[in-house]
Amino acid sequence: MEQLLEILKEIKPDIDFNSEKALIDNELFDSFDIVQLIGEISDKFDIEIQPNEIIPDNFNSIEDMWNMILRLK
């Protein structure tokens, strides 16, 4: 999960990803951030994130993203 945290901090260094649980719901990420994040996650973890996976439930917190990564590996 440390690699994911590094990616997130590169995109939005001012957010505390360990405590934030509503990244999408609170509009802390915009669509450009999500596109960048998907590309970085796909490259780093060698997974393909399908359009049906791009939902708030998979991106609202670092835990949600990590669970998606583990599921797609």
Side-chain angles (χ1 to χ4, degrees), residues 21-70:
K21 304 298 180 209
L23 295 166
I24 303 300
D25 294 341
N26 290 339
E27 299 178 356
L28 298 173
F29 277 160
D30 61 25
S31 57
F32 179 75
D33 296 328
I34 295 297
V35 169
Q36 183 180 2
L37 179 59
I38 290 168
E40 295 286 334
I41 288 173
S42 296
D43 291 346
K44 187 70 156 184
F45 296 99
D46 195 31
I47 59 173
E48 186 174 335
I49 300 174
Q50 297 293 327
N52 65 321
E53 297 287 346
I54 306 171
I55 58 173
D57 288 347
N58 286 336
F59 292 92
N60 257 328
S61 71
I62 190 170
E63 291 85 7
D64 294 336
M65 290 180 236
W66 187 247
N67 289 334
M68 177 188 64
I69 290 166
L70 293 177

Side-chain angles (χ1 to χ4, degrees), residues 4-18 23 28-29 33 36:
L4 176 57
L5 184 58
E6 289 174 19
I7 292 169
L8 292 168
K9 286 185 180 239
E10 285 178 20
I11 295 171
K12 292 281 188 171
D14 55 327
I15 296 175
D16 180 3
F17 292 101
N18 292 315
L23 295 166
L28 298 173
F29 277 160
D33 296 328
Q36 183 180 2

